[in-house]
Amino acid sequence: MHTEPPGLSVVGEQATVASYAVPDSGDAAAAFNELHLLAPMGYLVLSFDTTILQMNVVAADLLGLRRANPERATLRQFVASRFHDDFDRFLRRAVNSGQAEQCHLQLRHSHGQQGFPVVLEASADSSGQGLRVVLEPAEGRLAALTRSEERLRRIVHYAEEGVWEIDAAARTSFVNPKMAQLLGYSIEDMLEQPLVAFMDDEGRRLLEHNLAQRRHDQAERREFKFLRKDGRDLWTTLAIKPIVDADGGYRGALALVTDITDSRASAELIWQQANFDALTALPNRHMFQDRLDQELKKARREGMLLALLFIDLDGFKQVNDTFGHDQGDALLVEAARRIALCVRNSDTVARLGGDEFTVLLSGLEQASGVERIAQSMLALLNQPFTLGAARSSVSASIGIALYPSDATTPEELLRSADQAMYAAKQEGRNRYSYFTRDLQRAAQARQQDALDLRTALQQGQFELHYQPIVNLGNGKIERAEALLRWRHPQRGLLTPAEFLPAAESGGLMLEIGDWVFRQAARQARRWQDELGAGFQVSINQSPAQLRGDTDLYLQWLRHAAALGLPARSMVLEITEGLLMEGRSPAAERLRDLREMGLLVALDNFGTGYSSLSHLRHAGIDVLKLDRSFVRQLASDSGELALCEALIVMAHKLGLRVVAEGVETAAQSGLLSMAGCDYAQGYAFAGALPAEALAALARRGLPLLH
């Protein structure tokens, strides 16, 4: 029983045992397979312990192995035992010699068939960590040639790759069936045809260049596109081997052709999806960021100006909700087209998402042209959009930031343009605004406010005050509106108007809203024990809060249930704008919450655009008349008539009515005579701490009419 050496390493004349592994990449393996797959003799790549790392079809056939060699078989185990010493000395010479070494010995087939004589030729791999071996049966030349031709014919005919041979004039001299099938021709149709007959204009130019360069015996591998007979593209990987004569003259080339059309299409689709917006076909945020990086480097290198425009469509949400998402998408596509009409082909127009677009104006010598472009965009985007049978209008707010005056990095430039766009919206929309240092300072202040608000949540700086809502029939405090206050360590007690905008821009509305609900629910539970089982507390809800995660509201209901608080004890106050959103997520969420038992009040009624049909279908429980109706009640009979009409209308729809902003006994008396159910305002009390409201309720209020 022989022992196979684990490896060979030679220093001077002495051979020692060692272990090596040949690092091999997928590309290297592919190149080996393609260039040697059809060779009429065996080709192998061995590690120094003779493990077969790669082999072609002939070698695998002679040894009876699968080409992938999952068993990690070694070549030495196929050498007849009496030739082991010769084989080992042969490998040592090959490792240490700068040229190929030959050895005659006998190999055994893996299935135990009779051995056969072979000639081995070995040389060190170019990496220096393995061996390349050529294996050729040592039979008679005629018999070997016959067998080789038969094997080659079989391989070529049944190969899964295309085989294509051209002559020195680049005319087809041979193709196998697979190659003809890939292109959709018969073999006869392809023979003698010039290679350019299967290429488009770009391919012809590449071919002419390659033929001019390729006059040496060097294999190469490349991707190339051909045209099928039906006109479709055939993308391939070509492993090309020039054919030269004994004098080194170029006689043509042999190519092994692999179809990669599907994989390339998949790769192109993945790249397209990663870099372009599916709706508008504009570059998306990822590609925009890449182009912004490149253009900034170019502007810095060439000393040129760069302008970034940040565009947000005004009123798009209303269009989307009114006409549906399909028409909203159509508007976005048309808006993208109009924006692109205003700039050069060399400029970049991108869609960041939603109704936000950016435009990158590069290579500017002066900034004066930017304003003209912004004005053109505003004018085009202000024109009506045809959406099916309807027409709708939007406008745009555009923020402009310049390199290098406003920012020097991609992140700063985008942030500056965004802040400028925000300023344009604040100034009334349908306009453009340049970035200024004042805008930057304002943005930094908003960021600091957001940090302070988060700290306020963590450190318990928020508190609720409550304004009583009085039953005009009996003068009792039966409800209260929870009003948020922030006891700021330096600025004192702040009202919502002073900090909620920062909370909304900082993304803290959901967390603050959750805190408000839980605090108000606990207080409602205490007041029901102290003041009566029907006591209700209302809290204000913004659309941003209602778009939150459903789980948050389920937690609210579980919290109320844990307190033993009926869901009807909590009233959510919304504004009229939410009714106009129709089937929006916020409106749907409101309906879901009402079905769970929470009551809904429409705040500041009369200041927005809601109609009777909206009231009828929106599921409102309480109507709160805006203070503007109450202010002139005592001196204007028209206001009183309007209030009476609104109260009657609300009662017909099954709604309770609360009048806001009641400041005098006269107003309270007139509202009571008009049939109003409840009132709140300074005629009774302002916002009070919970203890003070409870004391006032226990003490009782004198009827003000």
Side-chain angles (χ1 to χ4, degrees):
M1 179 176 179
H2 68 272
T3 302
E4 297 178 1
L8 295 168
S9 176
V10 180
V11 180
E13 297 294 328
Q14 301 298 318
T16 59
V17 176
S19 178
Y20 294 85
V22 176
D24 186 54
S25 68
D27 285 345
F32 173 87
N33 289 339
E34 289 170 342
L35 296 176
H36 299 288
L37 180 67
L38 304 179
M41 67 281 291
Y43 274 91
L44 305 98
V45 177
L46 310 180
S47 66
F48 285 149
D49 66 355
T50 78
T51 297
I52 301 169
L53 303 176
Q54 295 173 344
M55 57 183 155
N56 69 350
V57 173
V58 170
D61 184 48
L62 289 171
L63 298 176
L65 291 176
R66 287 179 289 174
R67 277 206 310 130
N69 191 20
E71 301 87 1
R72 304 291 292 172
T74 65
L75 182 59
R76 193 176 191 273
Q77 72 190 62
F78 294 95
V79 177
S81 58
R82 66 180 183 277
F83 291 98
H84 278 175
D85 290 342
D86 294 338
F87 179 71
D88 293 342
R89 284 193 296 272
F90 158 66
L91 289 186
R92 294 190 188 102
R93 291 197 309 273
V95 169
N96 289 280
S97 174
Q99 59 187 15
E101 297 290 333
Q102 278 195 352
C103 177
H104 294 260
L105 47 77
Q106 192 169 37
L107 294 182
R108 295 180 292 106
H109 195 275
S110 64
H111 301 304
Q113 297 175 0
Q114 185 177 358
F116 53 93
V118 296
V119 177
L120 300 182
E121 184 176 285
S123 59
D125 184 75
S126 58
S127 68
Q129 299 187 43
L131 293 166
R132 289 190 177 269
V133 177
V134 178
L135 185 159
E136 187 173 5
E139 54 191 327
R141 299 298 295 174
L142 182 58
L145 182 60
T146 301
R147 286 187 55 186
S148 181
E149 287 179 347
E150 290 175 352
R151 183 180 294 117
L152 182 59
R153 188 180 300 109
R154 186 171 63 251
I155 292 171
V156 169
H157 187 81
Y158 294 107
E160 285 301 311
E161 291 87 4
V163 180
W164 198 339
E165 183 185 73
I166 59 171
D167 60 21
R171 300 180 72 85
T172 303
S173 54
F174 174 81
V175 290
N176 72 339
K178 182 64 176 182
M179 188 68 251
Q181 177 193 341
L182 288 175
L183 287 170
Y185 292 93
S186 66
I187 293 176
E188 291 76 12
D189 289 339
M190 292 186 64
L191 292 176
E192 301 302 322
Q193 292 298 315
L195 196 58
V196 294
F198 308 100
M199 299 177 180
D200 58 14
D201 292 340
E202 180 184 2
R204 293 185 182 103
R205 287 192 296 271
L206 285 173
L207 176 66
E208 290 170 1
H209 174 75
N210 289 340
L211 290 177
Q213 298 295 320
R214 192 194 304 126
R215 287 293 184 269
H216 50 81
D217 186 17
Q218 182 174 346
E220 59 181 310
R221 189 167 179 260
R222 63 171 60 242
E223 286 189 5
F224 207 88
K225 183 181 74 173
F226 294 98
L227 289 180
R228 290 186 170 101
K229 185 177 182 179
D230 60 11
R232 292 182 297 131
D233 293 341
L234 172 68
W235 279 99
T236 66
T237 298
L238 301 180
I240 307 168
K241 177 71 175 177
I243 302 171
V244 296
D245 57 22
D247 299 324
Y250 177 74
R251 301 294 300 275
L254 180 67
L256 190 66
V257 183
T258 304
D259 182 3
I260 60 168
T261 305
D262 290 342
S263 60
R264 186 182 177 94
S266 298
E268 287 182 352
L269 178 61
I270 292 170
W271 183 85
Q272 183 81 13
Q273 291 172 340
N275 291 280
F276 286 88
D277 175 49
L279 177 64
T280 63
L282 293 177
N284 62 11
R285 183 182 292 271
H286 178 268
M287 176 166 274
F288 165 74
Q289 293 282 7
D290 182 67
R291 290 192 181 177
L292 179 58
D293 280 343
Q294 298 304 318
E295 291 297 342
L296 269 178
K297 291 175 183 176
K298 183 179 178 182
R300 191 177 295 118
R301 185 171 60 249
E302 298 178 357
M304 303 291 282
L305 297 177
L306 186 71
L308 175 59
L309 280 61
F310 198 113
I311 306 162
D312 186 271
L313 300 183
D314 306 322
F316 171 73
K317 187 178 187 313
Q318 287 78 4
V319 173
N320 212 29
D321 292 341
T322 302
F323 296 101
H325 291 291
D326 289 344
Q327 299 301 335
D329 287 349
L331 188 148
L332 290 174
V333 172
E334 174 61 15
R337 188 190 71 82
R338 295 184 187 184
I339 292 171
L341 287 175
C342 300
V343 300
R344 303 164 298 180
N345 290 335
S346 57
D347 297 323
T348 297
V349 179
R351 181 186 177 212
L352 299 190
D355 59 348
E356 292 182 342
F357 298 85
T358 53
V359 174
L360 199 57
L361 305 175
S362 56
L364 300 176
E365 296 183 359
Q366 52 187 5
S368 57
V370 178
E371 192 164 339
R372 176 186 54 79
I373 291 172
Q375 290 171 343
S376 299
M377 287 181 186
L378 289 176
L380 271 181
L381 292 172
N382 223 350
Q383 295 178 8
F385 289 78
T386 300
L387 305 176
R391 285 164 67 85
S392 185
S393 295
V394 297
S395 59
S397 297
I398 302 176
I400 304 171
L402 303 174
Y403 166 86
S405 58
D406 294 331
T408 57
T409 68
E411 296 77 17
E412 291 174 349
L413 195 64
L414 184 58
R415 188 162 53 245
S416 298
D418 186 21
Q419 291 171 11
M421 183 275 294
Y422 179 80
K425 282 196 177 292
Q426 294 293 98
E427 292 167 9
R429 305 185 176 190
N430 192 28
R431 66 193 65 221
Y432 60 86
S433 174
Y434 283 95
F435 175 79
T436 66
R437 292 301 168 193
D438 289 339
L439 284 173
Q440 186 175 28
R441 283 191 288 271
Q444 290 171 343
R446 288 196 298 271
Q447 291 175 356
Q448 186 59 51
D449 285 344
L451 291 174
D452 291 345
L453 283 165
R454 197 170 291 280
T455 301
L457 270 173
Q458 295 168 351
Q459 297 184 359
Q461 296 173 8
F462 288 119
E463 55 189 66
L464 290 182
H465 288 195
Y466 299 87
Q467 186 171 32
I469 299 175
V470 179
N471 185 324
L472 289 177
N474 58 26
K476 291 183 179 180
I477 299 174
E478 296 179 350
R479 305 182 179 205
E481 180 179 353
L483 299 168
L484 182 63
R485 299 290 185 265
W486 179 9
R487 195 166 293 281
H488 196 284
Q490 287 81 39
R491 298 162 61 189
L493 193 64
L494 304 180
T495 63
E498 297 174 272
F499 61 84
L500 281 188
E504 189 160 1
S505 63
L508 290 169
M509 291 298 289
L510 292 181
E511 294 176 63
I512 292 175
D514 184 47
W515 183 88
V516 168
F517 182 90
R518 292 172 183 273
Q519 289 292 114
R522 282 193 286 268
Q523 189 59 58
R525 175 69 271 176
R526 285 193 289 268
W527 280 338
Q528 287 189 357
D529 292 338
E530 298 173 19
L531 306 176
F535 202 96
Q536 295 176 327
V537 175
S538 61
I539 60 173
N540 291 284
Q541 287 286 286
S542 70
Q545 290 173 295
L546 288 169
R547 294 187 191 103
D549 189 353
T550 303
D551 187 57
L552 174 66
Y553 300 97
L554 294 175
Q555 291 177 27
W556 283 8
L557 294 172
R558 286 194 288 267
H559 178 67
L563 294 171
L565 182 71
R568 292 181 59 82
S569 304
M570 301 301 296
V571 183
L572 304 181
E573 293 196 6
I574 63 167
T575 59
E576 288 181 272
L578 190 59
L579 297 187
M580 301 298 293
E581 295 190 13
R583 305 292 293 181
S584 70
E588 293 287 348
R589 177 65 45 73
L590 189 65
R591 279 187 280 272
D592 292 342
L593 292 173
R594 188 172 180 272
E595 289 176 4
M596 294 175 188
L598 296 170
L599 299 183
V600 177
L602 184 62
D603 198 12
N604 303 123
F605 178 75
T607 60
Y609 306 98
S610 59
S611 65
L612 295 180
S613 63
H614 284 119
L615 290 177
R616 187 161 55 90
H617 296 296
I620 302 299
D621 300 289
V622 179
L623 197 67
K624 299 191 75 173
L625 292 180
D626 186 70
R627 64 185 65 246
S628 61
F629 291 109
V630 177
R631 190 178 299 120
Q632 305 296 328
L633 275 182
S635 59
D636 188 336
S637 60
E639 291 292 331
L640 179 58
L642 182 57
C643 280
E644 288 177 336
L646 291 175
I647 292 168
V648 170
M649 174 201 71
H651 287 166
K652 289 286 187 182
L653 293 174
L655 310 182
R656 294 294 184 92
V657 180
V658 178
E660 298 181 285
V662 179
E663 298 182 355
T664 67
Q667 291 170 348
S668 173
L670 290 171
L671 286 166
S672 178
M673 289 180 359
C676 188
D677 303 295
Y678 295 91
Q680 69 181 98
Y682 287 108
F684 310 103
L688 303 171
E691 298 80 5
L693 186 143
L696 181 62
R698 284 191 294 267
R699 190 167 60 247
L701 290 168
L703 289 175
L704 299 181
H705 55 277

